[in-house]
């Protein structure tokens, strides 16, 4: 292979230690690294310059890393080739083989398999005898890896659809339970409110009856509680004695006398009957008020029990509210 020569004197060029320039061994003329690269590209054949890599050595190094399984180093070497020698298909071909084909096809979806850019570049710059290998390699990846990624997409879509249907069914079931729960809650709450209102209303009725009974008892005269007194009995006995004397002793000779005789008994007896009737009416009124109070208290107890029962049911419903 030809050596890189100085454009001034024709001497051999050697790269400096820092690799930033080449120096002619004969005349000492220095050339920048970019100029050296242009000079290499202009040569018709492979060029070997002491201290600098050419495309062949870089490709050999990358392939060696690839065979050793040093994929990161191989990738870096192939990437360097594509940067420094973009028209050399071997760099693009190396990146093609190092691609994560599963990720590429998976990210591309289930549509037509498009050739990735690095593979296109390799095919574009490859020699005719290498193009078939690249094309066959891509076709093999399509038939194997893409088939797998497409099946993965289909499986994931089926799983997602199944999950969606299950979630929809679960949501419908939840909504059904929620409606049932809300109806039951409304029914129990309504029963609770109704029982509470009835309890309060009956409580006011009881208070009203008690106030009426207290007021009635305060207004009752002492005589009403004891309708038959000694004076009434004495008056009745005396009247009966006078009537007996008049009828069987002295004798009754006229209607007026008979009327007077009867009055001896009728007046104290009538007064006694009046007092008994008045006491009976008072007692009946008191009993009626007490019975009304008892009935009202019984209703209160019933409504309280209904309210407490509804309260327990309401609390139980709230604790067992449906959840998603």
């Amino acid at each position: 292979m030809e050596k890189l020569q100085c454009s001034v004197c024709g001497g051999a060029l050697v790269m400096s230690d820092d690799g930033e320039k080449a120096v002619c061994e004969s005349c000492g003329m220095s050339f920048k690294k970019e100029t050296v690269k242009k000079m290499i590209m202009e040569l018709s054949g492979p060029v070997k310059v002491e201290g600098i890599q050419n495309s062949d050595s870089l490709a050999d190094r990358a392939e060696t890393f690839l065979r050793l399984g040093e994929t990161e180093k191989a990738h870096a070497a192939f990437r360097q080739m594509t940067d420094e020698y973009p028209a050399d298909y071997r760099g693009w071909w190396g990146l093609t083989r190092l691609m994560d084909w599963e990720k590429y096809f998976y990210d591309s979806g289930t549509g037509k398999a498009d050739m990735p850019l690095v593979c296109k570049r390799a095919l574009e710059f490859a020699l005719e005898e290498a193009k078939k290998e690249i094309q066959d390699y891509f076709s093999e990846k399509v038939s194997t890896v893409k088939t797998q990624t497409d099946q993965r997409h289909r499986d994931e879509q089926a799983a997602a659809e199944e999950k969606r249907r299950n979630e929809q069914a679960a949501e419908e079931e939840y909504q059904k339970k929620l409606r049932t729960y809300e109806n039951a809650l409304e029914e129990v709450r309504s029963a609770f409110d109704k029982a509470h209102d009835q309890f309060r209303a009956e409580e006011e009725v009881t208070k009203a009856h008690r106030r009426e009974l207290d007021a009635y008892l305060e207004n009752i005269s002492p005589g009403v509680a004891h309708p038959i007194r000694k004076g009434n009995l004495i008056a009745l006995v005396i009247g009966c004695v006078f009537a007996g004397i008049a009828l069987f002793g002295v004798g009754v000779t006229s209607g007026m006398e008979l009327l007077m005789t009867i009055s001896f008994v009728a007046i104290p007896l009538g007064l006694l009957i009046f007092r008994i009737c008045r006491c009976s009416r008072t007692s009946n009124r008191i009993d009626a008020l007490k019975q009304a109070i008892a009935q009202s208290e019984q209703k209160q107890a019933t409504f309280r029990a209904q309210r407490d029962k509804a309260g327990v049911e309401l609390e139980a419903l709230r604790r067992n509210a449906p959840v998603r």
Side-chain angles (χ1 to χ4, degrees), residues 26-82:
S26 299
C27 67
M29 186 68 178
S30 63
F31 299 87
K32 292 182 179 180
K33 187 176 181 179
E34 289 75 11
T35 304
V36 175
K37 288 182 180 181
K38 291 180 181 179
M39 293 170 68
I40 293 172
M41 295 298 292
E42 291 173 357
L43 294 176
S44 57
V47 178
K48 181 178 180 181
V49 182
E50 295 182 20
I52 189 170
Q53 299 181 103
N54 59 20
S55 61
D56 290 333
S57 63
L58 193 55
D60 290 341
R61 186 161 65 93
E63 291 292 344
T64 301
F65 284 140
L66 186 60
R67 285 193 298 271
L68 293 174
E70 300 283 349
T71 54
E72 291 185 4
K73 293 180 179 180
H75 189 279
F78 284 128
R79 177 56 66 186
Q80 184 180 353
M81 281 194 67
T82 59

Side-chain angles (χ1 to χ4, degrees), residues 137-165:
Y137 181 84
F138 175 70
S139 299
E140 187 269 336
K141 292 299 181 183
V142 171
S143 63
T144 56
V145 179
K146 182 163 175 49
T147 301
Q148 296 173 356
T149 57
D150 287 351
Q151 183 60 45
R152 180 181 166 190
H153 273 295
R154 287 191 292 270
D155 292 343
E156 289 177 351
Q157 289 172 357
E161 179 61 23
E162 180 67 18
K163 181 181 179 182
R164 186 194 65 80
R165 287 196 298 267

Side-chain angles (χ1 to χ4, degrees), residues 9-27:
C9 68
L13 297 180
V14 179
M15 291 300 295
S16 62
D17 292 337
D18 58 9
E20 294 298 324
K21 63 183 179 178
V23 181
C24 177
E25 291 181 333
S26 299
C27 67

Side-chain angles (χ1 to χ4, degrees), residues 216 224 274 276-287:
Y216 190 77
V224 174
F274 170 76
I276 292 173
C277 290
R278 187 178 65 173
C279 180
S280 177
R281 287 195 302 271
T282 303
S283 178
N284 290 339
R285 179 57 179 165
I286 293 173
D287 291 342

